[in-house]
Amino acid sequence: MHVLILGGTTEARRLAEILEDRAPRLRVTTSLAGRVTAPRLPPGEVRVGGFGGAGGLAAWLRAHRVDALVDATHPFARTISAHAAEAAAGTGVPLLAVRRPGWVPEAGDDWHEAGSLAEAAGLLPALGRRVFLTTGRTGLAAFAHLDTIRFLVRSVDAPEAPHPRHMEVVLDRGPFTLDGERALLRRHRIDVLVTKDSGGAATAAKLRAAREAGLPVVVVRRPPLPEGVRCAADPDEAAHWLLTHGR
């Protein structure tokens, strides 16, 4: 049985590790987009780069005799998720999406939801002037016009233009500690946090730090999965589905 994991996330790496441990004879290939300079590689085979759209992915599934496709990409990777659904439907390859649960506001949170990065940018002038932007290095163009706001941008790799004029960049990779997030907010005098609803524990400490500091948080809602796609909440659930399917 050959499983293709569309990866790049903690869940994708963990799924590959579980399959290596529980089913060592299973052939597992993880596909990475190639946007991160030094990605953490999972066990098994690894390919890097795009497929050339849904048609290219479908051709790859056929050429490499893939028996099951797992979309374990980032919850905001809307394009590849749509391509995966289309390619799976066109080839008859079973598709499973792995999506960690989204974050839920707690008592004391001051959350402002946005449907897109552009909508999030529109909320900022009324909320503060020193923004901790944790939406990644792509999509910064949505905030480039906000010349009266100073941004602290955190990403794994350096962002490219267009981006905000007043911007300081912190290159770092999670998981992040609560003490570290508290110190960062104080050191940079942050008064607004902007984040995507990525879910998971690796980057959740910033939400608690913002809650303790009484800061408003702009949360960009995640896009829905393509209609009809089966979903697992974690790698263990995905592995169970795969191994049951394999038998």
Side-chain angles (χ1 to χ4, degrees):
M1 181 181 175
H2 186 192
V3 176
L4 174 63
I5 302 174
L6 304 178
T9 60
T10 301
E11 287 78 13
R13 288 192 302 275
R14 180 58 186 148
L15 176 57
E17 292 167 354
I18 293 172
L19 294 176
E20 181 184 48
D21 179 59
R22 297 184 189 175
R25 297 181 62 182
L26 193 70
R27 182 186 175 192
V28 178
T29 302
T30 300
S31 178
L32 305 177
R35 294 178 180 173
V36 176
T37 302
R40 295 172 179 171
L41 298 180
E45 302 175 32
V46 176
R47 70 171 301 279
V48 178
F51 291 94
L57 176 55
W60 202 95
L61 296 176
R62 295 189 187 97
H64 294 268
R65 300 178 181 273
V66 173
D67 299 291
L69 176 62
V70 179
D71 173 13
T73 58
H74 192 275
F76 283 81
R78 182 197 296 263
T79 300
I80 186 59
S81 293
H83 290 170
E86 185 177 342
T91 58
V93 174
L95 169 64
L96 178 73
V98 182
R99 290 292 184 273
R100 69 192 80 148
W103 290 316
V104 178
E106 299 182 16
D109 281 329
D110 180 15
W111 282 18
H112 303 258
E113 291 194 353
S116 65
L117 292 177
E119 187 177 333
L123 297 175
L124 292 181
L127 295 175
R129 288 293 182 269
R130 302 186 71 89
V131 176
F132 183 23
L133 190 58
T134 64
T135 56
R137 68 187 180 96
T138 61
L140 295 183
F143 304 90
H145 65 287
L146 297 174
D147 288 338
T148 62
I149 295 178
R150 293 188 175 275
F151 290 90
L152 176 66
V153 175
R154 182 166 66 193
S155 63
V156 176
D157 292 320
E160 299 177 355
H163 52 64
R165 176 183 177 186
H166 303 293
M167 180 183 76
E168 182 177 350
V169 178
V170 174
L171 299 181
D172 204 353
R173 187 200 303 261
F176 302 104
T177 66
L178 179 58
D179 286 343
E181 299 294 60
R182 287 168 174 158
L184 186 146
L185 295 181
R186 289 195 302 266
R187 184 166 62 251
H188 294 274
R189 294 180 290 134
I190 298 299
D191 54 19
V192 186
L193 168 65
V194 180
T195 181
K196 292 178 178 177
D197 180 17
S198 301
T203 60
K206 61 189 174 186
L207 298 175
R208 179 174 172 183
R211 183 187 314 125
E212 292 176 351
L215 303 183
V217 180
V218 178
V219 181
V220 182
R221 295 187 299 271
R222 60 175 63 178
L225 280 172
E227 187 175 354
V229 174
R230 181 194 301 265
C231 185
D234 56 52
D236 281 297
E237 184 181 340
H240 175 75
W241 179 83
L242 284 167
L243 297 177
T244 301
H245 169 77
R247 286 196 296 274

